[in-house]
Amino acid sequence: MTRAITRLLIATALAVGLGAAAVAPASALTQDEGDVWFGPELDWAADSPDGYEDRLGQTPATYAIRLPYPLDADGRDAWQRAATDVAAQGSVLVLTVEPRVSLEDVTSSDAVAFNDALEELHTQYGTHHLIRFAPEMNGSWTTWGQQPTAFIDAFEAVADVVHGGDSGAEMVWAPSYGSGYPFERADGRLNDLTPTDLRLLDTDSDGMLTESDDPYGPYFPKESAVDRVGLTMFYFAKGEAGASAGRDVPLEVNSAPEPGEFASRLAERWGYTTAQGDSFYERFVVDAGFPFALDTGALYDFALEGDSETAVKQGWWRQVLAELPDHPGIDSITWVEAEREEAEAGTAEVDWRATASADLAKRLSDDLNATGVIRWGPVTEVVTEEQGAAATVQVREGGDEIQWITGSAAVLALAFLASGVIGRTLPRWRYTDESSSRDLRIDMIRGFVIIVVVVTHIEVTSPYSFAALNVIGAITGAELFVLLSGIVLGMVFWPAVRRVGEWAAAKAAWARARKQYLVALAVILLIFFLSFVPFIDASAVMTFTDRGTGEAGESSTGRVYNLYPNADRLLDYPPPWYAVRQLLLLEMGPWPFNIMGLFVVLSLAYPALMWLIKRRLWWVVLLGSWATYAVHDLFPDYAPVSSQFNAVFPLLAWQVLFTHGLVIGYYRRQIIGALTTPIGKVLAGAFVVGYAGFLVYLWAGDTYGFTPAPFSPDLYGSLYDSGYQRIDLDWGRLLDLPLVLICSYAVLTVAWKPLNAVMGWLWVPLGQASLYVFIVHVFFVLAVANIPGLDRTSLWQGTIIHTVVIALLFLMVKKKVLFSVIPR
C-alpha cells in the first residue's frame, strides 16, 4: 500500500509539472551538428542492415528490433544475428522488448538472463543497446498496457539488473502519444483495473478514467531506472486532429499530414478534446533532463485512394525534422521500415517503409542531410565480416612460438645435411622417376600438407594436431598448399601445350577455374541449406568464435563472427541484389573453406602468367609479383576484391607464392639441375645452415644470457612479432618456405624408397587429390562439430576422430567418390 501511495504522489507531481525526476536544467540541453541518431526499425525477416544502407545511401546510427520477453531461443538467435549485422556498420541497436507473459509472471531470473545476453553481445561486438522495455504501456492494445503497478515493478527489475551489469545499455521509458487516452474506444480493458491501479490512473481524482487524466505520469518508474525517455508517435495517414489514434477505424483514404501536426503533438495539443497541461517534452525532456528517443513513421495503404505516398511519408518526416532545432532534446529517431497489418487500417497490411522506392529513399536521405544535425554511422566499434574471416587465422597460444620455429629450422637443417650422407652411402634409396608432368615427391609433400590442413580445421586435441601446429615451423599448411599448387600447374602446362596447343590449354585452365568457382558456390549453398536441417548445427562453420589469438588480440576473445552475411535474404523472392552479389563474389562461406576463393582468382590468372613464362619472361612475372606484394605491404587495407578470402589470404600478398610456384614448376628440371651442381649444393647448404644457424645463435644468446654480436640482445625476443606471426605473410614465413621445401625435397630424393614404403600409400594419393580433399573436408568439420557430448580437449577422443576422418578421406579418394564433379 505504501508503494502504491508513493507512486500516486510521483504521478501527481509529474502531472502538475513539478519535475519529480528533474536532474538537469533546460540550459544543459544543446544540439550541435551531428547530435541526432537516425535509423530504421526493420522487418528483420525480410530485410537487413546491408539492404537498408544500400537503399538509403547512408549508414544509419541505429537499428531497431523487436524481441520477446522473457528471452527465448528464437529471440536470442534473432538478437545475435541483428547484433552481428549492426556491428558491421558500427550502429546502435534499439531493442523493443515485448513481454509475452503476464507482467506479474516476469521473474528476476528473466532479467538476469536478459542482462547476460546484453553483456555477452557488448563484450563480443562493443554493441551499445537502447532498451525500450514494454513500450506503449499506457495503451490498451498491448497485453502489458494500462497496468501501472505491474509495469513499474517489471521495468525497475530489468533496469536494476541492467544498470548493475557491464553492458552500458540504456533503459528507455517509452509510452505512446497520449491523444485518445485511455483509448477505450480502441480496445479498452479498463474494467480489469485493480482498485490500486485505478487510483493511480485517476490523476484528477474525479473517480473516473478519462482524457482529463495524465496519460504518462502514472506509468513513470523511479528516476534511477530511466536513462532516456521515448514516445511512440506514428502518423496514420488520417490528416485531421479529430481522427487521432483509436478513432475513425478503419482508414478510408490516404491523407497527407496537416501543416504543423507534429509540432502540435510535441506541444500536446493534437487530437485532444480536453486541454492538457505541460507537454511530454516539457515535463520529461526539458524539466527532467532526459534525452528523447522518438519512435515514428507514416503508414500508406496502396489499396486506398487519396494523397500520394510521397505526400504522406515525406510530408510527415519533414515535419519531424523541422522541429529538431526547437527541440534539441530529441537525440534519436527510429522510423518504422516495414509492411505489416495495422488495426488503424482495419487490419489491412500497410506500408510504413521510407526506402522501398529509390525516389523516396533519395528524398529521405536528402532531407536528413539537409538538417545538418543527423549523425550517420559508424557511432560504435565496427566489427565486419572481413574481420571475422581474418580472425580465423589464429596464432599459436603460449610464449614459445619462436622456440618452435627455431627448433624446426634446426631439425630441417640437420636433415638436409644428413641427406647428403644418405645420398652417397645408400644410392638405392633414391627417387628415380623422371616424369616431366608428375613428381611423386611433390605429391607426397602435398599429401602431408593437406592432412595438416584437415587436422588443423578439425579442432580437437590429438598428436596429429600437436604436430600440425608445430613441426613445420613458422608456416602453415596454407602457404605450402598455394606454393605447391603453383608448382604442379607450372609442371603440367608444357605437356598440355604439346598435347593440345597453347590456346586449348588456356581454355582448359579457364574451364577448371569455372568448375572451381561453381563448386565453391555449391559448397557455400549446401552448408547454408544444411543449417535448416533439424539436429544439424551449422554455426560451427557458418560462424567463427574468436579465440583471442588473432590480429585483434585478447580483447576480441569470445566474439562471434557471422560468415554468412545476409544469407537468409537469398530465400526471399526475388532475392535482393546485395545478397546475391555477396554470394556470387564469395563474400560468404564456411571458414574452413575461405581459401577456395583465392584458388579461383589465381586459376583465372594462370593462363596469362604461363603465356609470359613460356616466352622466358619469368623475370617479368616475378618482378610484377614482388611489386604487387610491395603494394600490399605499403597499403595493407587495400582490397582489390571483396571476397571473403581476401581478409585471410590477401590476394596482393599471397599471389607471390603462386607465381613463384608456377616458375619453379615450369623450370623444375633446370632448377634441380642447378641446385645439384657443386656450386648449387654449396649455395643451398649455405642458405639452409646459415638461416638455421642464425636462429639458433640468437636463441642461444637469449637462453644463456650473452649478447649475440653483432646483433641486438633483444632481437630474438622481437623476431616472432616482426616477421613470423601466422596472421601476416611477412619475411620470416617467406624465408621458412624455401627452407621447408628444399630440405623436405632433398630428404625425399635420397630416402624415397623407405619413406614411400612407410607413408607413400597414404600421402601420395591424398596429395594427388589435395583440392578434392580440401573441398570435402569442410563437411567433416561440420560433422565432427555435431558429435553429441564431444570433449575437444580429450586426447583419446581427438585421436580417434582425426584417425577416422583421415581414413575416410583416404577411402573416398581411392574409391574416386564424386571425382567427376569435384575438382582435384
Side-chain angles (χ1 to χ4, degrees):
M1 179 63 71
T2 302
R3 188 181 180 98
I5 293 173
T6 302
R7 288 178 183 158
L8 179 59
L9 292 174
I10 292 174
T12 304
L14 285 168
V16 298
L18 296 179
V23 294
S27 60
L29 295 173
T30 59
Q31 184 180 35
D32 298 325
E33 182 171 330
D35 275 347
V36 182
W37 291 342
F38 177 87
E41 178 188 323
L42 294 181
D43 176 1
W44 293 83
D47 202 356
S48 73
D50 279 354
Y52 186 84
E53 181 187 45
D54 188 56
R55 297 192 302 272
L56 187 64
Q58 305 281 358
T59 301
T62 67
Y63 285 93
I65 184 174
R66 294 179 180 267
L67 296 176
Y69 188 88
L71 199 62
D72 57 20
D74 290 340
R76 181 67 177 84
D77 290 343
W79 186 3
Q80 175 79 53
R81 290 194 298 271
T84 304
D85 292 345
V86 168
Q89 295 184 11
S91 302
V92 170
L93 190 56
V94 181
L95 305 180
T96 296
V97 181
E98 301 179 327
R100 299 297 172 85
V101 298
S102 171
L103 289 175
E104 287 83 357
D105 294 333
V106 173
T107 66
S108 59
S109 61
D110 296 329
V112 171
F114 178 75
N115 183 66
D116 288 344
L118 270 177
E119 292 185 340
E120 180 182 350
L121 292 174
H122 178 69
T123 299
Q124 290 178 354
Y125 306 111
T127 305
H128 186 70
H129 290 91
L130 304 183
I131 305 168
R132 299 174 69 242
F133 181 81
E136 303 176 31
M137 80 300 296
N138 59 337
S140 59
W141 51 86
T142 63
T143 60
W144 58 88
Q146 299 184 346
Q147 305 167 58
T149 303
F151 165 76
I152 291 175
D153 284 342
F155 189 98
E156 290 178 353
V158 173
D160 287 345
V161 175
V162 169
H163 288 155
D166 298 323
S167 69
E170 299 180 68
M171 295 294 297
V172 183
W173 175 71
S176 181
Y177 177 60
S179 171
Y181 181 83
F183 312 113
E184 67 274 15
R185 294 185 182 89
D187 184 22
R189 292 187 286 98
L190 304 185
N191 294 333
D192 298 331
L193 288 176
T194 65
T196 299
D197 280 349
L198 185 58
R199 285 195 299 273
L200 287 171
L201 297 180
D202 182 18
T203 57
D204 62 0
S205 302
D206 64 355
M208 297 181 293
L209 188 56
T210 67
E211 192 178 74
S212 298
D213 293 305
D214 180 6
Y216 308 123
Y219 305 94
F220 189 79
K222 63 183 180 182
E223 172 189 327
S224 61
V226 179
D227 299 297
R228 295 172 182 249
V229 296
L231 204 59
T232 298
M233 198 183 291
F234 294 144
Y235 177 66
F236 292 101
K238 295 179 180 179
E240 300 177 2
S244 59
R247 300 182 182 143
D248 292 352
V249 178
L251 179 69
E252 294 181 353
V253 63
N254 294 302
S255 299
E258 291 290 325
E261 174 175 345
F262 183 72
S264 295
R265 288 182 182 234
L266 286 178
E268 219 73 34
R269 298 289 182 268
W270 187 271
Y272 287 99
T273 59
T274 301
Q276 303 295 301
D278 288 344
S279 68
F280 179 94
Y281 186 87
E282 290 170 331
R283 293 164 62 186
F284 298 101
V285 182
V286 176
D287 292 341
F290 289 109
F292 185 5
L294 176 67
D295 193 46
T296 192
L299 71 77
Y300 193 81
D301 189 343
F302 285 97
L304 302 178
E305 297 184 354
D307 293 323
S308 68
E309 180 188 21
T310 299
V312 171
K313 295 180 179 178
Q314 186 177 41
W316 181 248
W317 78 55
R318 280 186 168 176
Q319 287 198 24
V320 172
L321 299 178
E323 293 303 313
L324 295 181
D326 293 332
H327 296 84
I330 300 175
D331 72 346
S332 69
I333 301 171
T334 295
W335 183 281
V336 178
E337 187 73 13
E339 294 176 287
R340 65 191 188 194
E341 294 181 354
E342 289 291 347
E344 294 286 343
T347 69
E349 185 177 88
V350 295
D351 194 330
W352 292 90
R353 299 172 298 171
T355 65
S357 71
D359 175 68
L360 200 61
K362 186 177 186 308
R363 290 173 184 268
L364 175 61
S365 179
D366 290 346
D367 287 345
L368 289 168
N369 285 324
T371 67
V373 298
I374 299 298
R375 179 177 178 184
W376 299 111
V379 296
T380 67
E381 180 183 2
V382 176
V383 181
T384 65
E385 290 84 10
E386 291 78 13
Q387 290 173 309
T392 63
V393 181
Q394 304 284 303
V395 301
R396 295 185 183 90
E397 297 184 13
D400 57 353
E401 296 89 354
I402 195 64
Q403 283 85 354
W404 277 107
I405 294 169
T406 301
S408 175
V411 170
L412 286 171
L414 291 175
F416 178 81
L417 295 175
S419 69
V421 177
I422 295 172
R424 290 180 177 276
T425 58
L426 297 168
R428 63 182 183 279
W429 285 5
R430 292 185 64 86
Y431 180 84
T432 56
D433 185 4
E434 297 299 327
S435 170
S436 61
S437 61
R438 184 100 259 172
D439 190 328
L440 297 181
R441 291 164 293 186
I442 293 177
D443 290 335
M444 182 174 284
I445 298 173
R446 293 176 76 197
F448 168 75
V449 168
I450 197 60
I451 290 175
V452 167
V453 171
V454 171
V455 167
T456 302
H457 288 168
I458 298 179
E459 298 176 308
V460 292
T461 302
S462 77
Y464 300 97
S465 59
F466 178 82
L469 289 172
N470 296 296
V471 301
I472 53 176
I475 61 175
T476 67
E479 292 96 318
L480 282 170
F481 197 25
V482 176
L483 177 65
L484 293 172
S485 295
I487 290 175
V488 171
L489 289 175
M491 289 170 55
V492 302
F493 183 78
W494 179 243
V497 169
R498 286 188 302 180
R499 186 171 62 254
V500 298
E502 190 169 7
W503 178 242
K507 290 195 297 183
W510 284 321
R512 186 173 186 271
R514 182 180 67 246
K515 186 175 183 179
Q516 289 176 347
Y517 174 66
L518 294 176
V519 169
L521 292 179
V523 170
I524 292 169
L525 290 174
L526 188 54
I527 293 292
F528 175 58
F529 292 139
L530 285 174
S531 69
F532 294 98
V533 177
F535 311 114
I536 294 181
D537 180 11
S539 64
V541 294
M542 293 178 67
T543 65
F544 186 78
T545 302
D546 203 306
R547 282 77 159 143
T549 56
E551 188 172 13
E554 293 183 2
S555 62
S556 62
T557 301
R559 180 177 291 169
V560 179
Y561 303 95
N562 176 24
L563 303 181
Y564 271 75
N566 301 309
D568 290 346
R569 301 281 66 78
L570 295 172
L571 302 178
D572 296 346
Y573 183 78
W577 168 243
Y578 65 88
V580 175
R581 182 191 65 227
Q582 287 177 311
L583 170 65
L584 296 180
L585 294 180
L586 305 183
E587 294 178 11
M588 61 178 72
W591 65 265
F593 191 64
N594 46 31
I595 201 174
M596 189 66 183
L598 177 65
F599 281 115
V600 172
V601 175
L602 293 177
S603 295
L604 289 172
Y606 164 58
L609 294 171
M610 292 310 301
W611 186 89
L612 292 171
I613 294 171
K614 181 175 179 291
R615 286 156 181 79
R616 299 189 178 184
L617 296 174
W618 56 268
W619 58 273
V620 173
V621 172
L622 296 186
L623 186 63
S625 177
W626 281 108
T628 303
Y629 181 88
V631 170
H632 170 75
D633 193 56
L634 293 172
F635 308 101
D637 293 330
Y638 172 66
V641 293
S642 58
S643 303
Q644 188 185 80
F645 78 84
N646 199 73
V648 193
F649 310 103
L651 176 63
L652 298 185
W654 282 70
Q655 54 75 31
V656 77
L657 305 178
F658 185 74
T659 53
H660 281 67
L662 294 180
V663 173
I664 293 171
Y666 190 81
Y667 292 105
R668 176 176 64 102
R669 291 191 177 280
Q670 293 90 323
I671 293 173
I672 292 174
L675 290 177
T676 53
T677 63
I679 295 178
K681 291 178 180 179
V682 170
L683 292 176
F687 166 73
V688 170
V689 176
Y691 174 58
F694 166 73
L695 292 178
V696 171
Y697 178 51
L698 294 182
W699 167 82
D702 183 75
T703 302
Y704 297 106
F706 66 86
T707 300
F711 305 109
S712 165
D714 300 325
L715 179 58
Y716 187 71
S718 64
L719 272 181
Y720 181 76
D721 291 335
S722 65
Y724 289 93
Q725 286 197 55
R726 292 192 176 188
I727 296 171
D728 300 310
L729 193 62
D730 283 336
W731 63 268
R733 293 170 73 183
L734 291 176
L735 277 176
D736 249 32
L737 268 173
L739 175 75
V740 172
L741 190 61
I742 291 172
C743 294
S744 58
Y745 198 80
V747 170
L748 286 173
T749 298
V750 300
W752 171 255
K753 291 184 178 179
L755 292 176
N756 182 51
V758 174
M759 295 306 304
W761 61 274
L762 175 64
W763 289 1
V764 170
L766 291 181
Q768 291 176 341
S770 58
L771 187 56
Y772 168 92
V773 173
F774 175 75
I775 294 169
V776 172
H777 98 285
V778 177
F779 299 95
F780 283 96
V781 176
L782 179 60
V784 170
N786 281 270
I787 296 175
L790 173 64
D791 180 2
R792 291 185 178 270
T793 64
S794 169
L795 182 63
W796 71 267
Q797 291 185 41
T799 302
I800 291 174
I801 287 172
H802 278 151
T803 302
V804 169
V805 169
I806 294 170
L808 290 174
L809 288 169
F810 174 73
L811 290 175
M812 292 178 70
V813 169
K814 295 297 287 186
K815 298 295 183 181
K816 299 183 179 181
V817 178
L818 296 177
F819 265 32
S820 61
V821 177
I822 303 175
R824 301 185 296 281

